Amino acid sequence: VLAQEKEELVHLVAHDLRNPLATIGFSAGLLSGDRERLPESERREMLAQVKETVAHMIGMINEMLAENRAADARRRREKKRGAIAVNHELRSIIAANRPTAAEKEIDLLLSSALSDTERIAGDRSAFLTIMDNLLSNGIKFSFPGTRVQVQCRPVAGQIEITVTDEGQGLTPEDKAGLFRKGARLSARPTGQEDSSGIGLFSARRLTEKMGGTIGAHSDGPGCGARFWVRLVPDTRHRVEEETPSPQKK
């Protein structure tokens, strides 16, 4: 069983590294081109984003190695639970996916009803992977010239994050097997991208490990799709931030 879990983990991490690597490759192509065509400010911003993407990938690899060193992966993940700054991390994920979206002239939008002090309880690396999978999936199945919108709001004591696209939508059959390993959608990527069916399975797996739920809605083919994740807020961290320190007399 342990060997099977390790093999599955390696497969999932390999998939989750593919999109960040593609982003780095695209950015490298722009940076290595004609310097006069790319303003210096954009070059600096792109380099900073590449560094952050690399740091995220290193974190994923380190997590995989840690999982392979011991059988009690779940207990170690629980010990690593912290507080995730929702708005900050969503802005980072959107920035990392902008170059890929720009190739298809897709607008990425963020709308949040949360303050910047709001936190989610859980593993930051897992959260980044979940949102990267959902956002890159939205871009992959959207038509050029459309938009993908990320929204965040409190719902029934949880924090809900949705990724809504204007793409090909989902059939009833798609929705029935959407988050299963290796599931294939009736829709196909609009830019000849690869689609293995692993991304949504990985997102479900990590969401459940964080104590959350994941789902999707679509009015049917041609009507776009909305994917949502609901996670537990870190109220302890927020209370600590909002409680003023005692004044010294």
Side-chain angles (χ1 to χ4, degrees), residues 4-5 22 36 42 50 66 76 79 83 86 89 107 138 161 164 180 183 185 196 212 214 226 228 246:
Q4 182 179 351
E5 289 181 354
E36 295 182 358
E42 291 187 21
V50 167
R76 284 204 314 277
K79 290 179 181 179
V86 186
E89 301 299 353
D107 288 332
I161 304 167
T164 306
R180 295 175 185 168
L185 300 179
S196 64
I214 188 171
R226 177 174 63 87
W228 54 264

Side-chain angles (χ1 to χ4, degrees), residues 32-138:
S32 62
D34 188 353
R35 297 181 66 90
E36 295 182 358
R37 296 180 59 185
L38 192 66
E40 185 62 27
S41 60
E42 291 187 21
R43 291 176 65 85
R44 288 196 298 267
E45 183 179 349
M46 196 168 292
L47 282 170
Q49 190 58 57
V50 167
K51 290 180 180 178
E52 185 166 345
T53 302
V54 169
H56 169 49
M57 292 168 60
I58 291 173
M60 292 172 58
I61 293 171
N62 287 340
E63 183 175 344
M64 181 190 70
L65 294 174
E67 293 281 356
N68 283 334
R69 280 195 296 264
D72 58 343
R74 183 173 297 177
R75 288 200 300 269
R76 284 204 314 277
R77 185 177 290 275
E78 287 300 314
K79 290 179 181 179
K80 289 167 58 180
R81 290 176 68 85
I84 303 162
V86 186
N87 287 345
H88 171 77
E89 301 299 353
L90 289 179
R91 293 187 196 108
S92 175
I93 286 293
I94 289 174
N97 280 275
R98 280 199 192 283
T100 305
E103 283 192 291
K104 299 170 75 172
E105 298 182 340
I106 293 173
D107 288 332
L108 301 184
L109 306 174
L110 172 63
S111 174
S112 178
L114 304 179
S115 71
D116 284 347
T117 62
E118 296 280 358
R119 300 288 192 272
I120 285 174
D123 183 341
R124 176 177 177 269
S125 179
F127 177 75
L128 291 174
T129 299
I130 293 165
M131 297 314 305
D132 186 64
N133 278 340
L134 294 183
L135 188 55
S136 63
N137 219 53

Side-chain angles (χ1 to χ4, degrees), residues 170-219:
L170 302 169
T171 66
E173 292 75 20
D174 288 334
K175 288 185 278 189
L178 197 58
F179 297 99
R180 295 175 185 168
K181 185 176 181 181
R184 300 283 181 161
L185 300 179
S186 59
R188 305 310 305 157
T190 58
Q192 307 302 315
E193 301 97 330
D194 291 332
S195 178
S196 64
I198 296 296
L200 293 179
F201 171 74
S202 173
R204 189 204 73 187
R205 172 180 172 272
L206 293 173
T207 298
E208 291 175 350
K209 285 200 171 191
M210 290 179 66
T213 54
I214 188 171
H217 173 78
S218 174
D219 289 332

